[in-house]
Amino acid sequence: MPLQVSDYSWQQTETAVFISVPLRGVCGRDADVFCTENYLKTMRAAKPRLGMTLLFSPYIKKKQRYGRPCLCQVIEEEERKKIEDMKENERIKATKELEAWKEHQRKAEEQKRIQRKEKLHHQEKQIEEGKKLKHKSLTRNSASRNLATKGGNSEDIFFEKLKDDSIPAPRSVGSIKINFTPRVFPTALRESQVAEEEEWLHKQAEARRVMNTDIPELCDLKEEEKNPDWLKDKGNKLFATENYLAAINAYNLAIRLNNKIPLLYLNRAACHLKLKNLHKAIEDSSKALELLTPPVADNANARMKAHVRRGTAFCQLELYVEGLQDYEAALKIDPSNKIVQNDAEKIRNIIQGTELKC
């Protein structure tokens, strides 16, 4: 009669599983062990024969002693076989899908080839029909011309009259006035700088197309406030009212939108001069001169102003030699400017007086 034991314990290592069953009054020597894939059975060799059967649990995952296989090996084999079967089934399925796709592609190519042949045949048929129709029309026209020649002189006179009526009357005599596009630069031919003038116009056109839209403040501005020319005019009005800081802000935003317009730097330099920001005035004047190239008649006035403003900033910093150089450059552009002449003469007197003191 089998005994039901509930207080057994077990432990397992890397190589073995140990099961401990307490049986009171029974010696554990000379025990027979019988192991199958589903259960483990122990029997006492001596009489009376006492036995015990243990069912395998899935969590026993190592080998027993004496080299007997445990249930985990069987489960692992089954799982491995199942995985291999799944891989094989997936491989077979993928192979079938690939073959089906290749067959579909082959049929599609065959269908396209057939359609191309049919289209080519249809085009050849249309060409043949066109040739036949052309041949028939030529034959019909030649037959009508033969009938017309047999009609007599009266029909010839009629056709000649129609031909004369279809000729238009001659044009009346008159004159055509042509207006040529005026030149932008009123330069004499012997002093022409066509290449430089064209380069300046091209450079200005390119500068007008440059626009920086990656500015966070743009979303808060009106549409006209996003135009550098509108901002320049706004800055000029603020400068006229002696609001120099607001004018600088307007020029700053315009330069952020388009940093290729020289007048923005030139006007901002004037604001810095008023606010005694002399180094910034020199920087803006230099930037304006850098953009006012090549030197042509159209930008002569702006170049003269840039030299005067930079020279004024140098003189206020007591750098009279550098200031005189800018004033002389301005006089080369506009020799008849009396104000620049007088200022240059004053600077020369200051330099001479300083040299005498030295």
Side-chain angles (χ1 to χ4, degrees), residues 297-315:
D298 191 50
N299 58 23
N301 188 35
R303 286 186 288 114
M304 188 269 294
K305 290 181 180 179
H307 281 296
V308 169
R309 289 171 187 173
R310 189 170 68 176
T312 303
F314 277 131
C315 290

Side-chain angles (χ1 to χ4, degrees), residues 154-171:
S154 60
E155 293 183 0
D156 291 340
I157 295 171
F158 178 73
F159 283 120
E160 287 292 334
K161 187 176 181 181
L162 288 176
K163 186 176 180 181
D164 293 338
D165 292 340
S166 63
I167 298 175
R171 293 181 181 178

Side-chain angles (χ1 to χ4, degrees), residues 303-304 307 324-334:
R303 286 186 288 114
M304 188 269 294
H307 281 296
L324 181 61
Q325 291 176 355
D326 273 315
Y327 271 91
E328 289 177 347
L331 284 174
K332 288 181 181 179
I333 299 171
D334 187 8

